[in-house]
Amino acid sequence: MDELIVTCAQQQVRVFENHQEFRSDVQRFMRQAKLKESRLVIFPELSGLLLIPPLAPGLKRTLLKMAERQVKKS
């Protein structure tokens, strides 16, 4: 029976400046998975949403303000 190696990526939730930064982050996980000879790589369910801020600049500012408010509450 073949062994199936699975890699689970734990991406840090952050605001990317552009889609290339997001791509580089994903490629980093893929390189690590390849080194471990993984046949399946699992990313967080909503990781694709991390691409939205570079496409909607006003949203980035709003997200940063919301995060700042949460930090102040803590």
Side-chain angles (χ1 to χ4, degrees):
M1 188 167 166
D2 289 336
E3 183 178 57
L4 176 64
I5 299 173
V6 178
T7 298
C8 294
Q10 290 184 299
Q11 283 180 295
Q12 179 182 3
V13 176
R14 65 187 191 97
V15 177
F16 292 97
E17 291 297 320
N18 54 51
H19 72 281
Q20 185 56 39
E21 279 187 19
F22 176 79
R23 182 182 183 139
S24 295
D25 192 50
V26 170
Q27 286 176 334
R28 180 174 58 90
F29 285 108
M30 297 302 289
R31 282 192 302 273
Q32 291 174 349
K34 186 176 181 179
L35 288 173
K36 295 179 182 192
E37 299 179 0
S38 293
R39 295 182 61 197
L40 177 64
V41 182
I42 300 172
F43 285 87
E45 182 177 12
L46 300 174
S47 65
L49 292 178
L50 298 175
L51 275 172
I52 292 175
L55 299 174
L59 179 62
K60 176 182 174 182
R61 194 173 321 118
T62 303
L63 291 173
L64 291 173
K65 285 180 184 177
M66 289 172 61
E68 187 177 312
R69 278 188 230 129
Q70 290 298 322
V71 169
K72 286 181 182 178
K73 286 181 183 178
S74 301

